Amino acid sequence: MSELRQRHLAESSAPPNELDQTPTTDSVDWKKDKEDTLSYGKTPDGKVFRVPVTHDMLTAVLDPQSSKTFFDLFTLAIMGFEIGLFFILPSGFRRYFYMVIFIFWRLSYNLGLGILLKYQSEERGLVNLAKKYKVFDAKKNPKIHAWLKHQFTRKMGKDYDFETAPIEFNTWLLYRQLVDIILMNDFTSYLCFALSWFNATPKVTFFLSDPLRWIGGLFLVAFNIWVKVDAQRVVKDFAWYWGDFFFLIEQSLTFDGVFEMAPHPMYSVGYIGYYGLSLMCASYTVLYVSLFAHAAQFAFLIFVETPHIEKTYNPPPVPTRRSSSPSESSVSDTVTETDDVPQHLDQAANRDFYNNYFRRDLIVFKNFDIFRSTDFASILVMFYAAYMPLFAMSGNSGITFAIAQALLWRVFHSYILGALLHRQSTGKFITRHFLKWGGTVQDAYNNWKSIYNLSLCMTYITFFIACWKMYTLPEDWTYGMTLLRHTLGFVFIGFHIWTSVSIYEVLGDFGWFYGDFFFDDKPIGLVYSGIYRYLNNPEKIMGHAAFWGMTLMANSWIIFILALFSQISNFLFLNYVEGPHMRKLYGDQIRKEAGLTKTLRSAAVALPKSIPDEFRQEVTKMLRDKSEIKAALSTTKSVERIVKETVEKVERVVEETAGAVGDMVEAARPKLQEMVADTKILLENSTSRLLIPKITNDLDAYDLSKYSIEFHTNQADNISFTFGEAISLIWHAPPNHGAKDWIGVYKITANKSKHVTTISSKGLWTWITPHLAETFDNGSPIQSPRHTEGTVTFRGDSLPWEIGSYEFRYHHDGKHNVMARSRPFDIVAPAAEANSFEALQEEILHIVKHALGDNPDIIPRDINEEYVSMPDDSAKRVVYAIRMIYGVDFAWEVVGSDRCVASLSKRVNQALRALSPFSERTKRLSIANKVSSTLGGSSPDRCSPVARVDEMN
């Protein structure tokens, strides 16, 4: 699919800038400081401060003119030690030694730093630890304070004041030192590892293989360096060190250059140098370890950075009820095509469009339903296409059949379907065909979607079968390029899957199935986001990567010709079918140059100019006369002199700081032991298989008889609550109870121990003093005296939504030691009112309200009011309750598509009638007549437009 179909039918908004709400003060001149290229930071508690100037990693660590701290010298010492061992260790041992060392540093980066950043993002963990252990407190830890102040001040400029800087900034500076140690040694150990596996005599399998390998490798390494340098230019030092995990900054960033070339360039193309070194080293070991390291980096991006970015810069909109007005109410019934429709009504129209035309369509194999005729027919066609050449035919006949059907399906997909789409674009051919026989536009589009998906799947399946018939399992995987071909083949297939998923994420169902060839009356527009920000037509090349990957593994000229034909056919389809239609729809809105093209063109102009003349002259001389290389050996003496001076400098600094470090360690020993103990408990509690610890001695001071949990209800015997019903508790505790005591709800059978909770509460918990939750998160001290009793209420997301027996547990001071347990209680389903449609509507209204947490800002006020918001979790609760009460099973997606309780109630009622036994036919008809008379002929699924909302408000 081209970027030309990259549009959205729903609302969109730019990410909010959290600093826009920062109030200006008399002491802060924003305009003047912006002119001076200074920036201001904002801590999570709202404090605004001027951000001191910091320096990049290479300048701080490697620049001999910059001041070196103990951390910098420690980093250089480890790097020097690793480099020194490279020349000492025997070659056989050195290979595996540096492989282990590199994997250690890589895991320290992606796993170690990832855990720390995740902890900081979710709980402000690192800052809270600094507050808890008074790391920067001159009164509590004077030696640590003085030593850190000396180190930071030495590294920073005159605009930095250790005493007045926020603790978030100082914690970030301390975290940076750890980042420098890990990243610099990650790079150093990789170079040592790659050089240890350098293959000086690779098996040559084709002409000029060595020159091409070196040229390609050097190009990839040089390109990698340019990517990193340009990325540093764009994101600056703040983002390079993950500063927004600690505080936000008022800084205008223009994401140009390499950020227009590829998504997450520092993690994607920013690691392409790995493969350049693998080429030059001619080692599969280096290649596979590089692939592992690159995969670990993507895991870091997916599980650490992306969730934080979404939470910080793209928070979900807060649903709010839109105030209704008479004039607005009448607009929905009188608006015409030329009216200026209010935004919330336009959004509702888009929602209606998607609900009408897209209902769990089969997309490749997603949403497959064997009871749907089109899906069943598709799977039969795919089965026979695979069965015939693989099992029913043998020898050359099977090969011929496999290749022929792959060719025919490609012709059908690109040329026949292309011709149909072309005629649909010029004269609505498909739509006219269905209208002729009494059908609708929806009929035309639904049938097109089924045909297109079948054809798309068959092009891949038949091509794979053809490759399989031509494939021969290698006898020697190490011969020639056999292993490389298979490796690249799987990489290309994975790359193709990522590209297709990225395309679908942007286009959605509407663009994936060429909806703009069928519907031209929707508010659509071009949006260059996702993968289309970098490429205009990702399908032209990247969208066929899997075909070339299978071709590499098959190693057949016939398959190569078939893959080339598929690529050319797709190119012709994009240029002669899709392109003209998009130009007809959008004209000048179409972008002339993609981000990748613009970036490469700029780099091609800028890179040669950035190379110093002296360097180019030296490279020219070295290429002209290889004897010049020998002259480089004369620089060994100067290198030895530099190393000697560095060692002496390290020794001098170590002597100066040894005493301070020793005193610091001794002073911090008790606190470090306490920190280790807390960390141990945290790790133990993070799994579902906890070792039950003994109740520590500090709990002996607490009288467990003073703790209790009681229900705020009059039920005497068996206590039960219906789905979503709020549960209020009264707790009692002694005056010296923990500041972070909390209550969680668990199934009766979940915990084997009565004294320690051993499983996660899965979010079903609350502090005994909920109003102090923000204070806990900020790490602020809790004031005494403390309340000895109080009331907490569980509702919405904190309630269990599953039938069963449960109990509440009172826990001590943020830990999992149980101080008291409640009486068992049951979650039950309310009795169904099957004989009254009005009772059914009221019951479902109550279910929806409870599922939304009884939040007055978003719950529907009556059965006809549209949902202000219906999150996925809430929709799943609704369908679970309906299944338990009425015995009818729905997919959770139908709750949102129905938009209001009236429509959902009608759906439930129709399902009950359809599923009732045949013996109840007379009763079923009487209920239907009663429902019809009650509604007075009006449509029961008409949702009130007055209650529609602006969810982006």
Side-chain angles (χ1 to χ4, degrees):
M1 257 64 65
S2 159
E3 90 294 347
L4 304 177
R5 284 184 290 111
Q6 186 188 171
R7 52 178 117 325
H8 59 93
L9 296 178
E11 63 275 10
S12 64
S13 64
N17 185 345
E18 297 191 21
L19 292 180
D20 289 345
Q21 289 78 28
T22 302
T24 58
T25 63
D26 295 337
S27 60
V28 178
D29 188 347
W30 294 87
K31 183 177 180 180
K32 180 179 183 299
D33 288 333
K34 285 181 180 178
E35 293 173 354
D36 295 339
T37 67
L38 299 177
S39 58
Y40 282 85
K42 182 181 180 182
T43 63
D45 59 1
K47 180 180 179 181
V48 178
F49 67 100
R50 179 177 291 178
V51 179
V53 177
T54 56
H55 303 286
D56 62 85
M57 184 183 300
L58 296 180
T59 301
V61 178
L62 299 181
D63 188 354
Q65 296 182 352
S66 64
S67 299
K68 296 292 184 289
T69 65
F70 171 78
F71 300 104
D72 299 331
L73 296 175
F74 183 68
T75 302
L76 291 171
I78 300 177
M79 294 170 59
F81 181 71
E82 291 175 348
I83 295 173
L85 287 178
F86 179 81
F87 297 99
I88 297 174
L89 296 176
S91 59
F93 176 77
R94 180 176 62 198
R95 288 184 168 187
Y96 297 98
F97 173 79
Y98 279 106
M99 180 189 296
V100 173
I101 293 299
F102 169 65
I103 292 176
F104 167 77
W105 287 116
R106 174 51 48 174
L107 292 179
S108 298
Y109 178 5
N110 298 137
L111 183 61
L113 294 183
I115 291 175
L116 292 178
L117 286 176
K118 193 76 172 177
Y119 184 40
Q120 171 64 21
S121 175
E122 294 180 350
E123 305 180 32
R124 303 177 192 167
L126 300 182
V127 174
N128 286 340
L129 284 177
K131 291 178 179 179
K132 179 177 180 180
Y133 296 103
K134 313 294 182 183
V135 176
F136 304 106
D137 193 327
K139 296 181 180 179
K140 299 291 184 179
N141 295 296
K143 293 185 178 180
I144 298 178
H145 172 273
W147 188 76
L148 289 177
K149 179 180 180 180
H150 173 70
Q151 300 299 323
F152 290 174
T153 305
R154 185 174 183 180
K155 191 169 188 173
M156 300 293 291
K158 295 181 179 180
D159 59 342
Y160 171 70
D161 187 350
F162 182 84
E163 304 293 347
T164 60
I167 190 172
E168 288 81 5
F169 184 81
N170 284 336
T171 305
W172 178 56
L173 288 184
L174 186 58
Y175 174 77
R176 284 169 55 115
Q177 314 312 312
L178 178 63
V179 173
D180 286 344
I181 294 173
I182 293 177
L183 264 63
M184 293 299 295
N185 283 282
D186 174 76
F187 172 75
T188 303
S189 60
Y190 179 80
L191 287 181
C192 294
F193 158 72
L195 293 175
S196 298
W197 287 86
F198 180 79
N199 186 1
T201 58
K203 295 180 181 179
V204 179
T205 57
F206 61 90
F207 182 65
L208 293 179
S209 61
D210 284 344
L212 292 176
R213 182 167 54 83
W214 277 91
I215 292 172
L218 289 172
F219 171 78
L220 293 179
V221 171
F223 183 74
N224 196 152
I225 295 173
W226 172 77
V227 168
K228 293 291 188 182
V229 172
D230 198 58
Q232 169 69 33
R233 173 189 65 81
V234 175
V235 303
K236 309 297 190 297
D237 203 37
F238 172 75
W240 189 274
Y241 283 98
W242 300 283
D244 55 4
F245 281 73
F246 297 84
F247 58 91
L248 295 179
I249 194 170
E250 194 280 323
Q251 186 179 48
S252 178
L253 296 179
T254 302
F255 287 95
D256 57 358
V258 69
F259 283 87
E260 291 184 316
M261 182 180 67
H264 306 288
M266 290 192 294
Y267 294 164
S268 54
V269 294
Y271 278 78
I272 202 170
Y274 274 174
Y275 309 108
L277 284 173
S278 300
L279 273 176
M280 291 187 287
C281 292
S283 169
Y284 285 114
T285 304
V286 176
L287 174 62
Y288 290 130
V289 172
S290 299
L291 287 171
F292 162 77
H294 203 176
Q297 192 66 34
F298 277 120
F300 176 86
L301 170 68
I302 294 171
F303 295 108
V304 179
E305 281 211 22
T306 300
H308 179 77
I309 291 172
E310 292 298 319
K311 180 180 70 174
T312 304
Y313 301 105
N314 301 305
V318 178
T320 56
R321 191 185 306 279
R322 183 183 178 90
S323 59
S324 59
S325 63
S327 60
E328 193 174 277
S329 175
S330 62
V331 166
S332 62
D333 296 325
T334 60
V335 64
T336 64
E337 292 185 0
T338 59
D339 290 330
D340 293 328
V341 183
Q343 181 183 6
H344 68 288
L345 295 181
D346 182 59
Q347 295 167 4
N350 291 333
R351 259 196 323 270
D352 293 343
F353 176 81
Y354 271 104
N355 291 334
N356 290 333
Y357 290 100
F358 301 96
R359 289 290 185 90
R360 297 187 68 252
D361 297 300
L362 184 63
I363 303 173
V364 188
F365 295 110
K366 179 184 177 183
N367 302 325
F368 176 78
D369 188 346
I370 195 171
F371 295 105
R372 190 162 47 188
S373 60
T374 54
D375 296 9
F376 184 72
S378 297
I379 205 69
L380 281 180
V381 173
M382 297 175 195
F383 171 77
Y384 278 110
Y387 177 80
M388 293 299 293
L390 294 180
F391 303 102
M393 300 179 178
S394 60
N396 292 332
S397 60
I399 295 175
T400 303
F401 182 86
I403 295 174
Q405 72 169 354
L407 179 63
L408 290 175
W409 276 108
R410 170 52 60 182
V411 171
F412 176 80
H413 185 72
S414 297
Y415 296 97
I416 296 180
L417 292 189
L420 286 176
L421 271 186
H422 178 71
R423 294 195 63 181
Q424 173 69 15
S425 173
T426 56
K428 300 289 184 72
F429 174 78
I430 303 175
T431 303
R432 289 177 182 274
H433 171 79
F434 281 88
L435 292 177
K436 176 181 178 181
W437 300 100
T440 63
V441 177
Q442 185 172 1
D443 294 330
Y445 191 48
N446 287 340
N447 283 275
W448 161 259
K449 287 186 290 184
S450 299
I451 295 172
Y452 175 78
N453 189 78
L454 173 62
S455 175
L456 179 66
C457 292
M458 291 303 297
T459 57
Y460 287 95
I461 292 173
T462 55
F463 189 90
F464 170 78
I465 293 170
C467 292
W468 183 264
K469 295 294 291 185
M470 300 298 296
Y471 179 77
T472 303
L473 190 67
E475 296 181 358
D476 184 3
W477 286 86
T478 62
Y479 174 76
M481 301 180 67
T482 302
L483 192 57
L484 180 62
R485 285 192 294 102
H486 285 77
T487 302
L488 291 178
F490 284 112
V491 170
F492 284 0
I493 292 172
F495 187 60
H496 179 106
I497 294 173
W498 172 81
T499 300
S500 299
V501 172
S502 300
I503 290 173
Y504 178 74
E505 286 177 349
V506 177
L507 298 179
D509 293 351
F510 182 80
W512 184 266
F513 288 114
Y514 300 90
D516 41 25
F517 280 75
F518 293 81
F519 308 100
D520 54 4
D521 57 346
K522 308 309 297 178
I524 52 181
L526 291 177
V527 179
Y528 292 99
S529 62
I531 192 172
Y532 288 93
R533 179 184 176 188
Y534 317 101
L535 298 168
N536 282 348
N537 292 288
E539 276 197 344
K540 276 189 176 180
I541 303 296
M542 300 164 60
H544 266 61
F547 291 95
W548 293 111
M550 289 185 282
T551 301
L552 281 174
M553 290 188 284
N555 196 28
S556 166
W557 282 104
I558 296 177
I559 299 299
F560 173 81
I561 294 173
L562 187 60
L564 183 62
F565 175 73
S566 299
Q567 184 85 66
I568 295 174
S569 299
N570 185 67
F571 180 83
L572 294 174
F573 174 85
L574 293 175
N575 280 271
Y576 293 102
V577 178
E578 189 173 289
H581 183 75
M582 297 304 113
R583 286 190 293 271
K584 178 170 61 176
L585 288 181
Y586 300 105
D588 295 337
Q589 296 182 40
I590 299 176
R591 184 176 60 181
K592 303 300 181 183
E593 190 175 44
L596 175 62
T597 306
K598 182 171 65 174
T599 302
L600 293 179
R601 179 173 52 80
S602 302
V605 176
L607 278 177
K609 296 180 180 179
S610 62
I611 301 176
D613 294 337
E614 295 81 1
F615 178 79
R616 283 185 289 187
Q617 293 173 3
E618 290 296 327
V619 171
T620 303
K621 288 169 55 180
M622 291 176 66
L623 293 176
R624 186 170 57 247
D625 187 4
K626 293 183 179 181
S627 62
E628 292 289 336
I629 299 178
K630 299 179 180 179
L633 299 176
S634 62
T635 61
T636 304
K637 295 183 179 179
S638 61
V639 172
E640 293 177 351
R641 177 177 54 80
I642 294 174
V643 171
K644 184 177 180 181
E645 292 178 355
T646 303
V647 171
E648 292 176 353
K649 188 174 182 181
V650 170
E651 292 176 348
R652 184 168 60 255
V653 173
V654 169
E655 291 175 357
E656 293 175 355
T657 59
V661 173
D663 294 340
M664 177 191 70
V665 173
E666 289 299 324
R669 186 184 302 276
K671 296 185 178 295
L672 290 174
Q673 292 175 347
E674 183 182 353
M675 185 185 300
V676 170
D678 288 348
T679 304
K680 182 180 179 181
I681 294 175
L682 176 66
L683 292 175
E684 288 175 345
N685 292 337
S686 64
T687 66
S688 60
R689 290 185 284 181
L690 291 171
L691 296 176
I692 301 177
K694 295 181 179 179
I695 302 297
T696 55
N697 293 331
D698 62 337
L699 293 184
D700 295 339
Y702 298 92
D703 185 359
L704 298 185
S705 65
K706 301 292 185 181
Y707 291 86
S708 66
I709 307 176
E710 301 172 359
F711 289 97
H712 203 286
T713 178
N714 295 325
Q715 300 182 42
D717 299 325
N718 296 329
I719 303 176
S720 62
F721 300 92
T722 58
F723 285 121
E725 182 181 352
I727 304 176
S728 295
L729 302 173
I730 302 174
W731 59 266
H732 296 85
N736 63 336
H737 69 80
K740 296 184 179 180
D741 288 1
W742 58 284
I743 299 175
V745 58
Y746 305 87
K747 278 193 171 183
I748 288 291
T749 58
N751 292 282
K752 296 181 180 180
S753 172
K754 297 179 180 180
H755 306 292
V756 176
T757 297
T758 58
I759 69 167
S760 170
S761 65
K762 299 179 181 179
L764 308 181
W765 68 278
T766 183
W767 302 108
I768 63 170
T769 51
H771 61 283
L772 295 179
E774 184 66 24
T775 305
F776 298 154
D777 292 340
N778 291 335
S780 303
I782 308 302
Q783 302 296 328
S784 295
R786 298 169 187 147
H787 297 290
T788 58
E789 65 178 76
T791 302
V792 294
T793 301
F794 284 75
R795 59 165 54 92
D797 292 337
S798 61
L799 283 172
W801 277 79
E802 183 179 350
I803 289 178
S805 298
Y806 296 84
E807 67 176 354
F808 288 98
R809 290 186 163 212
Y810 185 114
H811 300 88
H812 171 67
D813 202 25
K815 300 179 176 62
H816 287 71
N817 303 114
V818 179
M819 314 303 284
R821 294 184 301 143
S822 73
R823 293 167 54 192
F825 68 97
D826 296 324
I827 298 294
V828 299
E833 297 289 345
N835 294 324
S836 171
F837 184 69
E838 294 83 355
L840 182 145
Q841 289 178 317
E842 289 300 320
E843 184 60 49
I844 292 180
L845 179 61
H846 284 301
I847 292 173
V848 170
K849 288 182 176 180
H850 289 330
L852 294 172
D854 292 307
N855 185 346
D857 293 331
I858 61 175
I859 60 174
R861 291 170 291 197
D862 55 58
I863 62 172
N864 292 311
E865 182 181 18
E866 284 194 2
Y867 307 132
V868 174
S869 173
M870 182 54 69
D872 295 350
D873 289 340
S874 298
K876 292 174 183 177
R877 295 169 189 163
V878 172
V879 296
Y880 177 78
I882 292 174
R883 182 168 72 249
M884 293 296 103
I885 299 172
Y886 301 105
V888 179
D889 191 13
F890 291 113
W892 62 268
E893 291 87 350
V894 304
V895 179
S897 66
D898 282 340
R899 305 196 314 274
C900 66
V901 172
S903 299
L904 183 60
S905 300
K906 178 185 177 183
R907 184 185 298 276
V908 174
N909 184 65
Q910 291 174 337
L912 289 173
R913 292 168 55 196
L915 298 175
S916 61
F918 289 102
S919 60
E920 298 183 7
R921 180 174 181 273
T922 303
K923 177 181 177 181
R924 193 165 66 237
L925 293 176
S926 65
I927 295 175
N929 293 332
K930 182 187 296 185
V931 170
S932 179
S933 62
T934 301
L935 295 173
S938 62
S939 175
D941 61 344
R942 181 174 178 82
C943 301
S944 171
V946 178
R948 285 175 176 164
V949 297
D950 181 4
E951 293 186 356
M952 306 305 293
N953 190 15

